[in-house]
PDB file of all heavy atoms in Angstrom:
ATOM      1  N   ARG Q   1     170.575   3.209-105.323  1.00 97.00           N
ATOM      2  CA  ARG Q   1     169.215   2.682-105.131  1.00 97.00           C
ATOM      3  C   ARG Q   1     168.179   3.735-105.500  1.00 97.00           C
ATOM      4  O   ARG Q   1     167.138   3.409-106.084  1.00 97.00           O
ATOM      5  CB  ARG Q   1     169.005   2.275-103.666  1.00 97.00           C
ATOM      6  CG  ARG Q   1     169.589   0.957-103.250  1.00 97.00           C
ATOM      7  CD  ARG Q   1     169.096  -0.262-103.990  1.00 97.00           C
ATOM      8  NE  ARG Q   1     167.721  -0.229-104.444  1.00 97.00           N
ATOM      9  CZ  ARG Q   1     167.256  -0.965-105.443  1.00 97.00           C
ATOM     10  NH1 ARG Q   1     168.066  -1.773-106.124  1.00 97.00           N
ATOM     11  NH2 ARG Q   1     165.996  -0.917-105.786  1.00 97.00           N
ATOM     12  N   SER Q   2     168.456   5.007-105.192  1.00 97.00           N
ATOM     13  CA  SER Q   2     167.480   6.049-105.507  1.00 97.00           C
ATOM     14  C   SER Q   2     167.298   6.204-107.016  1.00 97.00           C
ATOM     15  O   SER Q   2     166.183   6.486-107.486  1.00 97.00           O
ATOM     16  CB  SER Q   2     167.920   7.391-104.894  1.00 97.00           C
ATOM     17  OG  SER Q   2     169.029   7.941-105.580  1.00 97.00           O
ATOM     18  N   LEU Q   3     168.367   6.016-107.775  1.00 97.00           N
ATOM     19  CA  LEU Q   3     168.236   6.070-109.235  1.00 97.00           C
ATOM     20  C   LEU Q   3     167.303   4.969-109.733  1.00 97.00           C
ATOM     21  O   LEU Q   3     166.478   5.187-110.637  1.00 97.00           O
ATOM     22  CB  LEU Q   3     169.609   5.925-109.895  1.00 97.00           C
ATOM     23  CG  LEU Q   3     170.615   7.056-109.696  1.00 97.00           C
ATOM     24  CD1 LEU Q   3     171.948   6.697-110.362  1.00 97.00           C
ATOM     25  CD2 LEU Q   3     170.087   8.372-110.265  1.00 97.00           C
ATOM     26  N   VAL Q   4     167.440   3.801-109.137  1.00 97.00           N
ATOM     27  CA  VAL Q   4     166.615   2.666-109.557  1.00 97.00           C
ATOM     28  C   VAL Q   4     165.180   2.821-109.052  1.00 97.00           C
ATOM     29  O   VAL Q   4     164.218   2.707-109.816  1.00 97.00           O
ATOM     30  CB  VAL Q   4     167.226   1.351-109.036  1.00 97.00           C
ATOM     31  CG1 VAL Q   4     166.347   0.165-109.451  1.00 97.00           C
ATOM     32  CG2 VAL Q   4     168.647   1.169-109.564  1.00 97.00           C
ATOM     33  N   ASP Q   5     165.024   3.088-107.760  1.00 97.00           N
ATOM     34  CA  ASP Q   5     163.698   3.136-107.147  1.00 97.00           C
ATOM     35  C   ASP Q   5     162.836   4.269-107.687  1.00 97.00           C
ATOM     36  O   ASP Q   5     161.602   4.144-107.732  1.00 97.00           O
ATOM     37  CB  ASP Q   5     163.828   3.283-105.630  1.00 97.00           C
ATOM     38  CG  ASP Q   5     164.442   2.047-104.984  1.00 97.00           C
ATOM     39  OD1 ASP Q   5     164.375   0.966-105.609  1.00 97.00           O
ATOM     40  OD2 ASP Q   5     165.009   2.171-103.878  1.00 97.00           O
ATOM     41  N   HIS Q   6     163.458   5.364-108.093  1.00 96.00           N
ATOM     42  CA  HIS Q   6     162.701   6.502-108.612  1.00 96.00           C
ATOM     43  C   HIS Q   6     162.701   6.561-110.139  1.00 96.00           C
ATOM     44  O   HIS Q   6     162.331   7.583-110.723  1.00 96.00           O
ATOM     45  CB  HIS Q   6     163.247   7.812-108.037  1.00 96.00           C
ATOM     46  CG  HIS Q   6     163.058   7.936-106.553  1.00 96.00           C
ATOM     47  ND1 HIS Q   6     164.022   7.526-105.647  1.00 96.00           N
ATOM     48  CD2 HIS Q   6     162.009   8.381-105.809  1.00 96.00           C
ATOM     49  CE1 HIS Q   6     163.588   7.750-104.405  1.00 96.00           C
ATOM     50  NE2 HIS Q   6     162.364   8.261-104.480  1.00 96.00           N
ATOM     51  N   ASP Q   7     163.120   5.464-110.755  1.00 96.00           N
ATOM     52  CA  ASP Q   7     163.076   5.328-112.215  1.00 96.00           C
ATOM     53  C   ASP Q   7     163.751   6.527-112.898  1.00 96.00           C
ATOM     54  O   ASP Q   7     163.219   7.111-113.831  1.00 96.00           O
ATOM     55  CB  ASP Q   7     161.618   5.201-112.679  1.00 96.00           C
ATOM     56  CG  ASP Q   7     161.507   4.624-114.083  1.00 96.00           C
ATOM     57  OD1 ASP Q   7     162.454   3.931-114.503  1.00 96.00           O
ATOM     58  OD2 ASP Q   7     160.494   4.884-114.754  1.00 96.00           O
ATOM     59  N   ARG Q   8     164.950   6.864-112.411  1.00 97.00           N
ATOM     60  CA  ARG Q   8     165.653   8.039-112.914  1.00 97.00           C
ATOM     61  C   ARG Q   8     166.570   7.730-114.092  1.00 97.00           C
ATOM     62  O   ARG Q   8     167.165   8.634-114.667  1.00 97.00           O
ATOM     63  CB  ARG Q   8     166.493   8.644-111.781  1.00 97.00           C
ATOM     64  CG  ARG Q   8     165.681   9.123-110.597  1.00 97.00           C
ATOM     65  CD  ARG Q   8     165.622  10.636-110.528  1.00 97.00           C
ATOM     66  NE  ARG Q   8     166.915  11.219-110.272  1.00 97.00           N
ATOM     67  CZ  ARG Q   8     167.554  12.061-111.084  1.00 97.00           C
ATOM     68  NH1 ARG Q   8     167.026  12.394-112.248  1.00 97.00           N
ATOM     69  NH2 ARG Q   8     168.728  12.569-110.760  1.00 97.00           N
ATOM     70  N   VAL Q   9     166.700   6.463-114.442  1.00 97.00           N
ATOM     71  CA  VAL Q   9     167.632   6.092-115.501  1.00 97.00           C
ATOM     72  C   VAL Q   9     166.868   5.891-116.807  1.00 97.00           C
ATOM     73  O   VAL Q   9     166.019   4.999-116.896  1.00 97.00           O
ATOM     74  CB  VAL Q   9     168.393   4.801-115.143  1.00 97.00           C
ATOM     75  CG1 VAL Q   9     169.423   4.484-116.230  1.00 97.00           C
ATOM     76  CG2 VAL Q   9     169.072   4.932-113.780  1.00 97.00           C
ATOM     77  N   PRO Q  10     167.118   6.708-117.820  1.00 97.00           N
ATOM     78  CA  PRO Q  10     166.423   6.533-119.105  1.00 97.00           C
ATOM     79  C   PRO Q  10     166.682   5.149-119.700  1.00 97.00           C
ATOM     80  O   PRO Q  10     167.715   4.527-119.421  1.00 97.00           O
ATOM     81  CB  PRO Q  10     167.023   7.644-119.981  1.00 97.00           C
ATOM     82  CG  PRO Q  10     167.545   8.662-119.013  1.00 97.00           C
ATOM     83  CD  PRO Q  10     168.020   7.878-117.825  1.00 97.00           C
ATOM     84  N   GLU Q  11     165.749   4.686-120.516  1.00 96.00           N
ATOM     85  CA  GLU Q  11     165.857   3.352-121.101  1.00 96.00           C
ATOM     86  C   GLU Q  11     167.104   3.188-121.969  1.00 96.00           C
ATOM     87  O   GLU Q  11     167.623   2.080-122.101  1.00 96.00           O
ATOM     88  CB  GLU Q  11     164.602   3.050-121.939  1.00 96.00           C
ATOM     89  CG  GLU Q  11     163.355   2.783-121.119  1.00 96.00           C
ATOM     90  CD  GLU Q  11     163.437   1.481-120.334  1.00 96.00           C
ATOM     91  OE1 GLU Q  11     164.009   0.515-120.867  1.00 96.00           O
ATOM     92  OE2 GLU Q  11     162.932   1.441-119.193  1.00 96.00           O
ATOM     93  N   ASP Q  12     167.570   4.290-122.563  1.00 97.00           N
ATOM     94  CA  ASP Q  12     168.719   4.182-123.464  1.00 97.00           C
ATOM     95  C   ASP Q  12     170.041   4.462-122.756  1.00 97.00           C
ATOM     96  O   ASP Q  12     171.080   4.624-123.405  1.00 97.00           O
ATOM     97  CB  ASP Q  12     168.566   5.118-124.659  1.00 97.00           C
ATOM     98  CG  ASP Q  12     168.508   6.580-124.256  1.00 97.00           C
ATOM     99  OD1 ASP Q  12     168.263   6.868-123.067  1.00 97.00           O
ATOM    100  OD2 ASP Q  12     168.708   7.449-125.143  1.00 97.00           O
ATOM    101  N   VAL Q  13     170.029   4.532-121.427  1.00 98.00           N
ATOM    102  CA  VAL Q  13     171.237   4.810-120.654  1.00 98.00           C
ATOM    103  C   VAL Q  13     171.571   3.596-119.791  1.00 98.00           C
ATOM    104  O   VAL Q  13     170.707   3.029-119.123  1.00 98.00           O
ATOM    105  CB  VAL Q  13     171.064   6.059-119.768  1.00 98.00           C
ATOM    106  CG1 VAL Q  13     172.245   6.219-118.810  1.00 98.00           C
ATOM    107  CG2 VAL Q  13     170.910   7.301-120.639  1.00 98.00           C
ATOM    108  N   LEU Q  14     172.838   3.200-119.807  1.00 98.00           N
ATOM    109  CA  LEU Q  14     173.331   2.123-118.957  1.00 98.00           C
ATOM    110  C   LEU Q  14     174.111   2.734-117.802  1.00 98.00           C
ATOM    111  O   LEU Q  14     175.073   3.478-118.020  1.00 98.00           O
ATOM    112  CB  LEU Q  14     174.265   1.202-119.746  1.00 98.00           C
ATOM    113  CG  LEU Q  14     173.633   0.150-120.652  1.00 98.00           C
ATOM    114  CD1 LEU Q  14     174.715  -0.485-121.522  1.00 98.00           C
ATOM    115  CD2 LEU Q  14     172.933  -0.929-119.823  1.00 98.00           C
ATOM    116  N   ILE Q  15     173.693   2.432-116.572  1.00 98.00           N
ATOM    117  CA  ILE Q  15     174.515   2.831-115.451  1.00 98.00           C
ATOM    118  C   ILE Q  15     175.432   1.676-115.071  1.00 98.00           C
ATOM    119  O   ILE Q  15     175.121   0.507-115.324  1.00 98.00           O
ATOM    120  CB  ILE Q  15     173.687   3.311-114.239  1.00 98.00           C
ATOM    121  CG1 ILE Q  15     172.752   2.226-113.722  1.00 98.00           C
ATOM    122  CG2 ILE Q  15     172.927   4.575-114.583  1.00 98.00           C
ATOM    123  CD1 ILE Q  15     172.043   2.612-112.417  1.00 98.00           C
ATOM    124  N   GLN Q  16     176.563   2.036-114.495  1.00 98.00           N
ATOM    125  CA  GLN Q  16     177.599   1.051-114.198  1.00 98.00           C
ATOM    126  C   GLN Q  16     178.073   1.255-112.771  1.00 98.00           C
ATOM    127  O   GLN Q  16     178.159   2.385-112.285  1.00 98.00           O
ATOM    128  CB  GLN Q  16     178.762   1.257-115.174  1.00 98.00           C
ATOM    129  CG  GLN Q  16     179.995   0.423-114.900  1.00 98.00           C
ATOM    130  CD  GLN Q  16     181.031   0.586-115.996  1.00 98.00           C
ATOM    131  OE1 GLN Q  16     180.747   0.359-117.179  1.00 98.00           O
ATOM    132  NE2 GLN Q  16     182.243   0.988-115.629  1.00 98.00           N
ATOM    133  N   VAL Q  17     178.375   0.148-112.072  1.00 98.00           N
ATOM    134  CA  VAL Q  17     178.950   0.231-110.734  1.00 98.00           C
ATOM    135  C   VAL Q  17     180.248  -0.559-110.702  1.00 98.00           C
ATOM    136  O   VAL Q  17     180.430  -1.511-111.459  1.00 98.00           O
ATOM    137  CB  VAL Q  17     177.982  -0.278-109.650  1.00 98.00           C
ATOM    138  CG1 VAL Q  17     176.722   0.558-109.616  1.00 98.00           C
ATOM    139  CG2 VAL Q  17     177.658  -1.755-109.850  1.00 98.00           C
ATOM    140  N   LEU Q  18     181.135  -0.136-109.820  1.00 97.00           N
ATOM    141  CA  LEU Q  18     182.456  -0.750-109.711  1.00 97.00           C
ATOM    142  C   LEU Q  18     182.534  -1.610-108.452  1.00 97.00           C
ATOM    143  O   LEU Q  18     181.999  -1.239-107.405  1.00 97.00           O
ATOM    144  CB  LEU Q  18     183.525   0.336-109.644  1.00 97.00           C
ATOM    145  CG  LEU Q  18     184.984  -0.131-109.529  1.00 97.00           C
ATOM    146  CD1 LEU Q  18     185.437  -0.766-110.836  1.00 97.00           C
ATOM    147  CD2 LEU Q  18     185.896   1.046-109.175  1.00 97.00           C
ATOM    148  N   THR Q  19     183.219  -2.737-108.566  1.00 97.00           N
ATOM    149  CA  THR Q  19     183.411  -3.601-107.401  1.00 97.00           C
ATOM    150  C   THR Q  19     184.750  -4.319-107.486  1.00 97.00           C
ATOM    151  O   THR Q  19     185.202  -4.709-108.561  1.00 97.00           O
ATOM    152  CB  THR Q  19     182.284  -4.639-107.268  1.00 97.00           C
ATOM    153  OG1 THR Q  19     182.543  -5.467-106.131  1.00 97.00           O
ATOM    154  CG2 THR Q  19     182.149  -5.494-108.519  1.00 97.00           C
ATOM    155  N   GLN Q  20     185.376  -4.488-106.346  1.00 96.00           N
ATOM    156  CA  GLN Q  20     186.544  -5.349-106.267  1.00 96.00           C
ATOM    157  C   GLN Q  20     186.101  -6.808-106.414  1.00 96.00           C
ATOM    158  O   GLN Q  20     184.926  -7.134-106.256  1.00 96.00           O
ATOM    159  CB  GLN Q  20     187.254  -5.153-104.932  1.00 96.00           C
ATOM    160  CG  GLN Q  20     187.893  -3.786-104.766  1.00 96.00           C
ATOM    161  CD  GLN Q  20     188.356  -3.550-103.342  1.00 96.00           C
ATOM    162  OE1 GLN Q  20     187.573  -3.660-102.402  1.00 96.00           O
ATOM    163  NE2 GLN Q  20     189.633  -3.232-103.184  1.00 96.00           N
ATOM    164  N   SER Q  21     187.045  -7.658-106.685  1.00 95.00           N
ATOM    165  CA  SER Q  21     186.735  -9.072-106.917  1.00 95.00           C
ATOM    166  C   SER Q  21     186.653  -9.834-105.596  1.00 95.00           C
ATOM    167  O   SER Q  21     187.503 -10.659-105.275  1.00 95.00           O
ATOM    168  CB  SER Q  21     187.788  -9.706-107.833  1.00 95.00           C
ATOM    169  OG  SER Q  21     187.391 -11.001-108.217  1.00 95.00           O
ATOM    170  N   ARG Q  22     185.595  -9.508-104.845  1.00 95.00           N
ATOM    171  CA  ARG Q  22     185.283 -10.212-103.595  1.00 95.00           C
ATOM    172  C   ARG Q  22     183.798 -10.523-103.579  1.00 95.00           C
ATOM    173  O   ARG Q  22     182.976  -9.672-103.961  1.00 95.00           O
ATOM    174  CB  ARG Q  22     185.633  -9.348-102.379  1.00 95.00           C
ATOM    175  CG  ARG Q  22     187.090  -9.346-102.012  1.00 95.00           C
ATOM    176  CD  ARG Q  22     187.392  -8.377-100.875  1.00 95.00           C
ATOM    177  NE  ARG Q  22     186.344  -8.344 -99.860  1.00 95.00           N
ATOM    178  CZ  ARG Q  22     186.321  -7.432 -98.876  1.00 95.00           C
ATOM    179  NH1 ARG Q  22     187.271  -6.522 -98.790  1.00 95.00           N
ATOM    180  NH2 ARG Q  22     185.343  -7.446 -97.987  1.00 95.00           N
ATOM    181  N   GLN Q  23     183.438 -11.718-103.128  1.00 95.00           N
ATOM    182  CA  GLN Q  23     182.046 -12.162-103.230  1.00 95.00           C
ATOM    183  C   GLN Q  23     181.079 -11.228-102.528  1.00 95.00           C
ATOM    184  O   GLN Q  23     180.029 -10.888-103.067  1.00 95.00           O
ATOM    185  CB  GLN Q  23     181.898 -13.581-102.665  1.00 95.00           C
ATOM    186  CG  GLN Q  23     180.460 -14.095-102.775  1.00 95.00           C
ATOM    187  CD  GLN Q  23     180.372 -15.601-102.585  1.00 95.00           C
ATOM    188  OE1 GLN Q  23     181.381 -16.268-102.436  1.00 95.00           O
ATOM    189  NE2 GLN Q  23     179.166 -16.139-102.600  1.00 95.00           N
ATOM    190  N   ASP Q  24     181.408 -10.812-101.294  1.00 95.00           N
ATOM    191  CA  ASP Q  24     180.469  -9.960-100.554  1.00 95.00           C
ATOM    192  C   ASP Q  24     180.283  -8.606-101.228  1.00 95.00           C
ATOM    193  O   ASP Q  24     179.170  -8.066-101.281  1.00 95.00           O
ATOM    194  CB  ASP Q  24     180.943  -9.780 -99.113  1.00 95.00           C
ATOM    195  CG  ASP Q  24     182.342  -9.184 -99.029  1.00 95.00           C
ATOM    196  OD1 ASP Q  24     183.171  -9.438 -99.928  1.00 95.00           O
ATOM    197  OD2 ASP Q  24     182.616  -8.456 -98.045  1.00 95.00           O
ATOM    198  N   LEU Q  25     181.357  -8.053-101.785  1.00 96.00           N
ATOM    199  CA  LEU Q  25     181.266  -6.745-102.443  1.00 96.00           C
ATOM    200  C   LEU Q  25     180.502  -6.844-103.764  1.00 96.00           C
ATOM    201  O   LEU Q  25     179.736  -5.946-104.130  1.00 96.00           O
ATOM    202  CB  LEU Q  25     182.661  -6.171-102.673  1.00 96.00           C
ATOM    203  CG  LEU Q  25     183.551  -6.036-101.427  1.00 96.00           C
ATOM    204  CD1 LEU Q  25     184.871  -5.372-101.785  1.00 96.00           C
ATOM    205  CD2 LEU Q  25     182.830  -5.252-100.339  1.00 96.00           C
ATOM    206  N   ILE Q  26     180.718  -7.961-104.469  1.00 97.00           N
ATOM    207  CA  ILE Q  26     179.999  -8.161-105.727  1.00 97.00           C
ATOM    208  C   ILE Q  26     178.506  -8.305-105.455  1.00 97.00           C
ATOM    209  O   ILE Q  26     177.663  -7.707-106.145  1.00 97.00           O
ATOM    210  CB  ILE Q  26     180.544  -9.388-106.475  1.00 97.00           C
ATOM    211  CG1 ILE Q  26     182.017  -9.172-106.871  1.00 97.00           C
ATOM    212  CG2 ILE Q  26     179.700  -9.677-107.718  1.00 97.00           C
ATOM    213  CD1 ILE Q  26     182.698 -10.415-107.416  1.00 97.00           C
ATOM    214  N   SER Q  27     178.152  -9.093-104.454  1.00 96.00           N
ATOM    215  CA  SER Q  27     176.738  -9.294-104.118  1.00 96.00           C
ATOM    216  C   SER Q  27     176.075  -7.968-103.749  1.00 96.00           C
ATOM    217  O   SER Q  27     174.936  -7.694-104.153  1.00 96.00           O
ATOM    218  CB  SER Q  27     176.620 -10.294-102.964  1.00 96.00           C
ATOM    219  OG  SER Q  27     177.121 -11.558-103.340  1.00 96.00           O
ATOM    220  N   LYS Q  28     176.778  -7.160-102.977  1.00 96.00           N
ATOM    221  CA  LYS Q  28     176.209  -5.865-102.591  1.00 96.00           C
ATOM    222  C   LYS Q  28     176.020  -4.970-103.810  1.00 96.00           C
ATOM    223  O   LYS Q  28     175.054  -4.204-103.889  1.00 96.00           O
ATOM    224  CB  LYS Q  28     177.109  -5.175-101.563  1.00 96.00           C
ATOM    225  CG  LYS Q  28     176.478  -3.931-100.950  1.00 96.00           C
ATOM    226  CD  LYS Q  28     177.196  -3.509 -99.689  1.00 96.00           C
ATOM    227  CE  LYS Q  28     176.436  -2.389 -98.996  1.00 96.00           C
ATOM    228  NZ  LYS Q  28     177.041  -2.000 -97.705  1.00 96.00           N
ATOM    229  N   SER Q  29     176.911  -5.074-104.766  1.00 97.00           N
ATOM    230  CA  SER Q  29     176.792  -4.282-105.992  1.00 97.00           C
ATOM    231  C   SER Q  29     175.543  -4.677-106.767  1.00 97.00           C
ATOM    232  O   SER Q  29     174.813  -3.817-107.283  1.00 97.00           O
ATOM    233  CB  SER Q  29     178.041  -4.468-106.859  1.00 97.00           C
ATOM    234  OG  SER Q  29     179.192  -4.012-106.178  1.00 97.00           O
ATOM    235  N   PHE Q  30     175.268  -5.971-106.848  1.00 97.00           N
ATOM    236  CA  PHE Q  30     174.035  -6.429-107.498  1.00 97.00           C
ATOM    237  C   PHE Q  30     172.814  -5.936-106.729  1.00 97.00           C
ATOM    238  O   PHE Q  30     171.812  -5.524-107.330  1.00 97.00           O
ATOM    239  CB  PHE Q  30     174.023  -7.954-107.618  1.00 97.00           C
ATOM    240  CG  PHE Q  30     174.714  -8.480-108.836  1.00 97.00           C
ATOM    241  CD1 PHE Q  30     176.056  -8.823-108.798  1.00 97.00           C
ATOM    242  CD2 PHE Q  30     174.022  -8.629-110.028  1.00 97.00           C
ATOM    243  CE1 PHE Q  30     176.701  -9.314-109.929  1.00 97.00           C
ATOM    244  CE2 PHE Q  30     174.648  -9.120-111.167  1.00 97.00           C
ATOM    245  CZ  PHE Q  30     176.006  -9.455-111.118  1.00 97.00           C
ATOM    246  N   ASP Q  31     172.884  -5.966-105.414  1.00 97.00           N
ATOM    247  CA  ASP Q  31     171.750  -5.503-104.598  1.00 97.00           C
ATOM    248  C   ASP Q  31     171.443  -4.031-104.869  1.00 97.00           C
ATOM    249  O   ASP Q  31     170.277  -3.623-104.881  1.00 97.00           O
ATOM    250  CB  ASP Q  31     172.058  -5.684-103.105  1.00 97.00           C
ATOM    251  CG  ASP Q  31     172.073  -7.148-102.684  1.00 97.00           C
ATOM    252  OD1 ASP Q  31     171.509  -7.980-103.423  1.00 97.00           O
ATOM    253  OD2 ASP Q  31     172.653  -7.438-101.619  1.00 97.00           O
ATOM    254  N   SER Q  32     172.496  -3.246-105.079  1.00 97.00           N
ATOM    255  CA  SER Q  32     172.276  -1.811-105.315  1.00 97.00           C
ATOM    256  C   SER Q  32     171.518  -1.558-106.613  1.00 97.00           C
ATOM    257  O   SER Q  32     170.876  -0.522-106.764  1.00 97.00           O
ATOM    258  CB  SER Q  32     173.620  -1.076-105.354  1.00 97.00           C
ATOM    259  OG  SER Q  32     174.342  -1.353-106.545  1.00 97.00           O
ATOM    260  N   LEU Q  33     171.582  -2.511-107.529  1.00 97.00           N
ATOM    261  CA  LEU Q  33     170.952  -2.342-108.843  1.00 97.00           C
ATOM    262  C   LEU Q  33     169.719  -3.223-109.033  1.00 97.00           C
ATOM    263  O   LEU Q  33     169.152  -3.267-110.132  1.00 97.00           O
ATOM    264  CB  LEU Q  33     171.969  -2.672-109.944  1.00 97.00           C
ATOM    265  CG  LEU Q  33     173.170  -1.718-110.061  1.00 97.00           C
ATOM    266  CD1 LEU Q  33     174.239  -2.320-110.961  1.00 97.00           C
ATOM    267  CD2 LEU Q  33     172.737  -0.359-110.590  1.00 97.00           C
ATOM    268  N   ASP Q  34     169.299  -3.897-108.012  1.00 96.00           N
ATOM    269  CA  ASP Q  34     168.190  -4.845-108.129  1.00 96.00           C
ATOM    270  C   ASP Q  34     166.938  -4.155-108.663  1.00 96.00           C
ATOM    271  O   ASP Q  34     166.484  -3.154-108.108  1.00 96.00           O
ATOM    272  CB  ASP Q  34     167.894  -5.463-106.760  1.00 96.00           C
ATOM    273  CG  ASP Q  34     166.973  -6.658-106.872  1.00 96.00           C
ATOM    274  OD1 ASP Q  34     167.148  -7.468-107.801  1.00 96.00           O
ATOM    275  OD2 ASP Q  34     166.056  -6.774-106.029  1.00 96.00           O
ATOM    276  N   GLY Q  35     166.405  -4.655-109.771  1.00 96.00           N
ATOM    277  CA  GLY Q  35     165.207  -4.088-110.371  1.00 96.00           C
ATOM    278  C   GLY Q  35     165.465  -3.166-111.542  1.00 96.00           C
ATOM    279  O   GLY Q  35     164.520  -2.742-112.211  1.00 96.00           O
TER     280      GLY Q  35
END
């Protein structure tokens, strides 16, 4: 969240997060990257 909220990710860089195939874990992964 700090990477997103503080605009620390350059426009030409893709950050990636890992999640197991479970609905609650996937949703939380999206929340971490919201915005």
Side-chain angles (χ1 to χ4, degrees):
R1 281 301 327 157
S2 72
L3 293 177
V4 179
D5 293 338
H6 295 92
D7 198 24
R8 298 253 294 119
V9 183
E11 287 292 323
D12 62 343
V13 171
L14 280 170
I15 60 173
Q16 173 174 304
V17 298
L18 180 70
T19 179
Q20 293 169 305
S21 189
R22 280 175 38 189
Q23 181 164 356
D24 58 328
L25 304 184
I26 297 171
S27 297
K28 189 164 188 176
S29 298
F30 274 92
D31 290 341
S32 73
L33 294 167
D34 192 41

